[in-house]
Amino acid sequence: MKHFLVSLCLLGTFLHALAQCSDSEFQLEGNYLLGGLFGIHHDTSPVLHDRPATIDCSSKTFIPSSYRRFQLMRFSVDEINNSTKLLPNVSLGYEIFDQCSDTHNFPGIFNYISVNDSVQPWGDPHVTLSKVTAVVGPYTSAKAMTVAPLFTMNRIPMISYGAASSDFSRKQKFPYFLRTVQPSKDVIELIVKILQHFNWRWVAFLYINDDYGNNGLELFMKNIKDTNICLAYHKGLDQHTVHPQIFKQLKEHTIAAIVVFAPEWTAENLIRSAINENITNKVWIASDAWSLNKKLRKEKGIRNIGTVIGVSEQGLTIPGFSDFIHSSRRQTHCENATQNTYCNQACNYSSLSAEDVLAADPSFNFPVYSAVYAIAHAIHNALQCGSGRCNENITVYPYMVLAELKKSNFTLLNQSIRFDKNGDPNYGSYSIIYWNHSGDAEEIGFYHFKQSANLSINESKIQWYKDGEVPISVCSKECLDGYLKKDTGTHRCCFDCKICPNGTYVNKSGDASKCLDCKETEWSAAGSTACNLRVVEYIPFTDTGAVLIMVGAWALVGFTLTVSVLFAINYNTPVVRSAGGPMCFLILGCLSLCSISVFFYFGKPTTSFCNLRFLPFLLFYTVCLACFVVRSFQIVFIFKIASRFPKLHGWWIKYHGQWLVITAAFSIQALLLLIGYSCAPLETTKERSWYPDKTILGCDINLKATTGPVLLLLSLCSFCFIFSYMGKDLPKNYNEAKAITFCLLLLILTWIIFATVVLLYRGKYIPILNALAILSSLYSFLMWYFLPKCYIIVFQSYKNTQEYFQGIILNYTKTISQ
């Protein structure tokens, strides 16, 4: 506030200086006066002062592009004044100032908001309190941020043609501000889309260290937050920046894509420094503030720095502007420039030719042109112009112009000029340009802001610096399909790649940092991006192996039936009697019943099938083994124990001891099976661990249910071996030890082989092997116990006589007695 009061005190001095200004390019009288702020010069080394002070802009760096925009405002007003449709009987004038500094060009601003050498802030809006009706400019956000509060104070609308900071969209803070340039929000969004289009994810952001640049950095970081782009490095640029240090950081971070969000004078210093430092193989993304800079494109060595791609407003030719410049160059204005020292309206540009002006950077020309026309249309509507005249009884105040500006809707050079609720342009498209090897800014694409917002780029027009291929700018190369990203630093773009193991996959459209597990019904190989359904396998009834085994089971039943018939016919013969007599039929019947289990090993497993795979075999095979135990014991008992223990022999005969043992074994086994299967019935299983791509349907071998019955079978086998060994020296025809022992050895060998295979193999053919083991166990007794006796009955009938057996017993008795 103190500085502001000091400024007001100096106002008289400023206005006195302004009174000395003569007619020049900067001034034109009219019914309604427009203000214009153009940075024709730029103060590259601003000096801080402890009190408000003005500066001589003409001594600063001349900016040709700004001078061209300055001339475009003059042309626009001249064109409107010559129009018979727009403001037909009203003329526009202008008061333009060269605003070369962000903070030290207040004389012109005070001139705009003063009347009769006085300033009355926040006065009655219906009283003329300012010289100008509206202001065009300024160019940069920093300048606009400085002067906007002063214009707001007197309710003067201002339309900037270059201030892109998104802060100006906040109408609570800048209610009288509009612009004809796209806000930084839209430009940054376009730059991010270009980075995504070329897959540049590891980028640097260099920006002017002011309101415009800081806002650009903030917007850039916000826009890339949910993308795969990482901001590897950022740096604010000013007149004190040491460029070699920046380039050193870019090299250390291996950054290939660099966004330069800065005005042309800042970008010029940076790019020239890059050329001098021999910086190569980079992609420079130019903002709209310097993308059409003609001086840089022609700079010696510009090709060596890499590829320059930029965004800019679409180039529009403004009819009549060239003729206006040629005509204006032939006139002389303001011969004595020294008298305008304090009003920043120096006219020392007589050395510039028309070609020099027209050759300058055409950036932001249409925004200037449309800004002037927007104000003219607003005044036209406020004056209720129509039928070739305007209402002269209406006095237009700045606040009225603002109201009409907000409602703007007119066509200019095929562009529909409108503003949204934030005062931003509700129209327009940008070009994507490429600095080709001829030094031209060649259009390679376009982007419509307010339409579908689609980006179109013709990459074939770009001659990349790197072997004609699109340069890569990444911290870490993208992982191959099926590899997860493992972060190695603070940036999500820096990571290691690790292959996902079997049974997992990487969802590339989702979180690529995790290996997701497949479902139980799915599988995946190492390095997969999706899961596949497992193949469900089991042995159907139609399988070749299943058919052969079932045929073998039926053949077993047929053989046992045949043997039973043969034994029945020869029931009273010594061979049948010695084989066990009636017990033989029980054994053969149980062998047939055991074969029932074989048929439940095929087809889709169910709980019932699983239980019936083991139940018939365990139950009836117990009876078979019990019969062989009894048969072995009887032979030994008759020949070796009966004479020593006659009473025991009598008891055994009287109470049919053999049947008691068989019945007891059957009952115990039945009880064990009942208890075991009731407490822990067998269930179906789905084997997935052995085969990653298959699900093998099978049955669970529950140890709780099968341990007791199996131990009983092993006990019976042990007794068989014991009694068989004890009777090894008995008469041959009555000695079944060798046959039973051989059968038991085959039985044990069969199940040892099966157990070994099960430990090594978990495929779908386990049920076939199990059924084969059962069938082998049944055939071992049928083939090696009953078949030899059938052979004697059929082919050696002489051995099947009482005399032959008595002779053997007599020889055995003689041997024993000797």
Side-chain angles (χ1 to χ4, degrees):
M1 179 60 73
K2 179 179 178 181
H3 288 171
F4 179 70
L5 293 176
V6 173
S7 301
L8 293 178
C9 293
L10 295 174
L11 179 61
T13 304
F14 295 151
L15 297 180
H16 177 72
L18 288 171
Q20 299 179 9
C21 294
S22 61
D23 291 340
S24 70
E25 290 181 300
F26 291 85
Q27 298 169 336
L28 179 69
E29 294 185 358
N31 299 118
Y32 292 93
L33 195 65
L34 306 185
L37 298 174
F38 293 85
I40 301 174
H41 293 85
H42 176 63
D43 186 6
T44 57
S45 301
V47 179
L48 299 178
H49 298 275
D50 58 356
R51 62 173 56 191
T54 188
I55 59 175
D56 180 12
C57 284
S58 62
S59 63
K60 305 303 178 182
T61 304
F62 177 63
I63 308 296
S65 58
S66 288
Y67 183 68
R68 177 185 169 116
R69 290 188 282 268
F70 156 76
Q71 291 294 344
L72 193 57
M73 178 173 177
R74 296 182 61 241
F75 163 73
S76 303
V77 172
D78 183 71
E79 189 176 59
I80 292 169
N81 287 339
N82 290 327
S83 172
T84 58
K85 295 181 178 180
L86 187 60
L87 298 174
N89 61 326
V90 176
S91 63
L92 296 180
Y94 52 75
E95 184 85 22
I96 304 176
F97 286 91
D98 179 5
Q99 192 182 15
C100 61
S101 170
D102 293 347
T103 57
H104 299 146
N105 286 150
F106 285 101
I109 309 304
F110 289 134
N111 177 264
Y112 288 156
I113 64 177
S114 67
V115 174
N116 300 325
D117 296 343
S118 65
V119 177
Q120 301 179 33
W122 300 290
D124 187 350
H126 295 281
V127 179
T128 302
L129 299 175
S130 59
K131 180 182 294 186
V132 296
T133 304
V135 176
V136 176
Y139 172 53
T140 67
S141 296
K143 291 181 174 69
M145 199 70 69
T146 303
V147 303
L150 295 174
F151 292 123
T152 300
M153 180 177 63
N154 272 36
R155 300 176 176 85
I156 301 173
M158 57 186 297
I159 304 182
S160 175
Y161 53 86
S165 173
S166 294
D167 289 339
F168 293 112
S169 297
R170 298 162 55 191
K171 292 300 99 178
Q172 299 90 338
K173 188 175 181 181
F174 301 99
Y176 290 84
F177 182 92
L178 298 93
R179 53 185 161 196
T180 51
V181 66
Q182 299 296 334
S184 296
K185 174 179 69 66
D186 294 339
V187 177
I188 290 295
E189 180 182 324
L190 173 55
I191 290 175
V192 170
K193 286 183 179 295
I194 293 175
L195 294 174
Q196 290 177 315
H197 178 84
F198 290 107
N199 202 26
W200 293 323
R201 303 192 299 272
W202 191 239
V203 301
F205 191 88
L206 307 181
Y207 58 99
I208 180 69
N209 193 14
D210 62 8
D211 296 319
Y212 166 71
N214 292 326
N215 179 246
L217 174 63
E218 180 183 349
L219 291 169
F220 184 77
M221 295 176 69
K222 181 179 179 181
N223 273 269
I224 67 173
K225 184 178 180 180
D226 297 323
T227 68
N228 58 359
I229 300 173
C230 293
L231 182 58
Y233 176 75
H234 62 89
K235 178 69 176 177
L237 307 174
D238 54 34
Q239 68 273 17
H240 304 298
T241 300
V242 181
H243 295 119
Q245 290 183 357
I246 295 178
F247 301 139
K248 181 180 178 181
Q249 290 291 325
L250 295 177
K251 183 178 181 181
E252 289 179 354
H253 289 81
T254 63
I255 303 170
I258 307 165
V259 178
V260 182
F261 195 76
E264 54 187 322
W265 51 84
T266 304
E268 285 177 359
N269 293 335
L270 176 70
I271 299 301
R272 289 195 180 103
S273 180
I275 295 173
N276 294 335
E277 294 292 327
N278 195 29
I279 302 301
T280 59
N281 298 344
K282 303 292 182 186
V283 177
W284 305 83
I285 312 297
S287 65
D288 50 351
W290 66 279
S291 60
L292 298 181
N293 189 297
K294 293 188 176 182
K295 288 170 59 178
L296 278 180
R297 298 204 305 267
K298 305 293 183 181
E299 197 81 20
K300 184 179 180 182
I302 190 68
R303 300 277 76 79
N304 297 331
I305 67 170
T307 303
V308 179
I309 295 176
V311 299
S312 71
E313 56 179 308
Q314 284 194 317
L316 294 174
T317 302
I318 300 177
F321 179 60
S322 178
D323 295 336
F324 174 82
I325 294 298
H326 282 90
S327 174
S328 176
R329 289 297 88 194
R330 290 193 291 267
Q331 300 176 13
T332 303
H333 300 277
C334 195
E335 294 293 337
N336 185 8
T338 59
Q339 68 182 11
N340 298 307
T341 301
Y342 296 103
C343 57
N344 297 331
Q345 294 176 316
C347 309
N348 54 351
Y349 314 124
S350 56
S351 61
L352 285 176
S353 65
E355 287 71 22
D356 292 333
V357 177
L358 295 174
D361 180 356
S363 299
F364 304 101
N365 281 200
F366 184 73
V368 173
Y369 189 59
S370 57
V372 176
Y373 264 88
I375 296 172
H377 275 275
I379 297 174
H380 180 94
N381 294 334
L383 288 173
Q384 301 176 359
C385 299
S387 302
R389 292 192 63 79
C390 297
N391 191 340
E392 297 178 353
N393 297 323
I394 298 176
T395 302
V396 177
Y397 296 101
Y399 78 94
M400 298 169 61
V401 176
L402 175 66
E404 294 298 333
L405 280 171
K406 291 180 179 179
K407 298 185 289 185
S408 295
N409 190 359
F410 62 94
T411 301
L412 184 66
L413 299 184
N414 296 323
Q415 296 287 324
S416 181
I417 308 301
R418 300 185 307 278
F419 297 98
D420 62 20
K421 63 181 181 179
N422 297 319
D424 297 330
N426 198 15
Y427 60 91
S429 60
Y430 263 27
S431 296
I432 316 300
I433 58 97
Y434 155 67
W435 288 11
N436 61 28
H437 291 179
S438 301
D440 299 323
E442 182 180 358
E443 184 177 272
I444 60 171
F446 59 87
Y447 181 80
H448 295 287
F449 287 104
K450 304 301 178 181
Q451 296 181 11
S452 58
N454 61 321
L455 176 65
S456 175
I457 297 179
N458 185 358
E459 296 185 33
S460 62
K461 294 183 177 181
I462 305 176
Q463 293 178 291
W464 300 105
Y465 64 82
K466 188 178 180 181
D467 302 326
E469 296 181 356
V470 179
I472 297 173
S473 186
V474 296
C475 178
S476 301
K477 289 186 177 180
E478 192 66 25
C479 293
L480 298 175
D481 291 349
Y483 284 74
L484 65 86
K485 294 179 179 179
K486 188 176 182 181
D487 294 338
T488 58
T490 57
H491 289 285
R492 63 180 180 276
C493 293
C494 302
F495 49 81
D496 290 332
C497 296
K498 182 179 179 181
I499 191 169
C500 285
N502 295 336
T504 64
Y505 71 101
V506 172
N507 184 4
K508 296 200 71 176
S509 60
D511 188 359
S513 63
K514 293 181 180 178
C515 291
L516 304 176
D517 293 328
C518 294
K519 298 178 181 178
E520 286 189 351
T521 57
E522 298 175 335
W523 74 280
S524 67
S528 296
T529 58
C531 294
N532 305 307
L533 285 175
R534 289 176 176 266
V535 177
V536 178
E537 291 188 346
Y538 58 89
I539 303 299
F541 285 102
T542 56
D543 183 85
T544 304
V547 171
L548 292 176
I549 289 178
M550 287 188 290
V551 169
W554 283 114
L556 177 77
V557 174
F559 288 150
T560 56
L561 182 60
T562 302
V563 173
S564 298
V565 171
L566 183 62
F567 272 37
I569 295 173
N570 298 276
Y571 182 75
N572 294 318
T573 61
V575 170
V576 175
R577 292 286 183 177
S578 66
M583 200 177 295
C584 294
F585 299 102
L586 179 60
I587 295 173
L588 290 170
C590 286
L591 290 178
S592 297
L593 292 173
C594 284
S595 65
I596 295 175
S597 295
V598 171
F599 296 93
F600 294 101
Y601 280 92
F602 312 115
K604 188 174 182 179
T606 63
T607 301
S608 300
F609 271 43
C610 288
N611 288 300
L612 291 174
R613 284 184 180 184
F614 300 99
L615 189 60
F617 176 74
L618 291 174
L619 184 60
F620 295 113
Y621 207 74
T622 299
V623 176
C624 292
L625 287 178
C627 290
F628 284 114
V629 169
V630 169
R631 182 63 189 146
S632 301
F633 173 76
Q634 279 184 319
I635 296 173
V636 173
F637 186 76
I638 291 172
F639 284 92
K640 291 191 175 184
I641 301 177
S643 58
R644 299 180 184 179
F645 304 98
K647 290 184 179 181
L648 179 62
H649 178 262
W651 180 89
W652 179 268
I653 296 298
K654 180 180 180 180
Y655 294 102
H656 305 287
Q658 69 272 26
W659 299 112
L660 291 176
V661 171
I662 294 171
T663 303
F666 175 79
S667 300
I668 293 172
Q669 186 68 294
L671 182 62
L672 291 174
L673 289 172
L674 179 62
I675 295 173
Y677 278 69
S678 298
C679 296
L682 302 186
E683 299 290 342
T684 58
T685 60
K686 296 178 180 179
E687 174 60 53
R688 298 188 178 100
S689 59
W690 282 67
Y691 295 93
D693 59 338
K694 297 177 182 179
T695 296
I696 308 298
L697 300 184
C699 294
D700 178 30
I701 302 177
N702 196 315
L703 294 179
K704 291 182 179 180
T706 57
T707 299
V710 170
L711 287 176
L712 181 59
L713 288 178
L714 292 176
S715 299
L716 293 174
C717 287
S718 300
F719 282 119
C720 278
F721 274 116
I722 293 171
F723 294 134
S724 296
Y725 179 79
M726 290 174 65
K728 65 181 184 298
D729 57 345
L730 295 177
K732 183 178 179 182
N733 281 29
Y734 286 93
N735 189 358
E736 309 297 338
K738 292 182 179 179
I740 294 175
T741 302
F742 187 73
C743 292
L744 291 176
L745 288 175
L746 285 178
L747 173 67
I748 294 172
L749 181 61
T750 297
W751 288 101
I752 288 175
I753 293 174
F754 172 73
T756 304
V757 172
V758 169
L759 291 175
L760 302 176
Y761 172 70
R762 287 288 192 278
K764 72 173 184 178
Y765 293 104
I766 287 294
I768 284 185
L769 296 176
N770 202 337
L772 191 61
I774 290 176
L775 208 58
S776 175
S777 301
L778 302 180
Y779 269 103
S780 64
F781 283 118
L782 182 65
M783 301 296 292
W784 302 107
Y785 185 81
F786 289 101
L787 190 61
K789 293 171 175 53
C790 293
Y791 181 81
I792 292 174
I793 293 172
V794 176
F795 299 104
Q796 294 180 343
S797 57
Y798 67 92
K799 292 182 179 181
N800 190 16
T801 62
Q802 190 70 27
E803 294 79 10
Y804 184 80
F805 271 76
Q806 287 178 350
I808 293 176
I809 294 174
L810 181 62
N811 292 333
Y812 172 76
T813 303
K814 291 180 179 179
T815 302
I816 293 298
S817 63
Q818 291 177 358

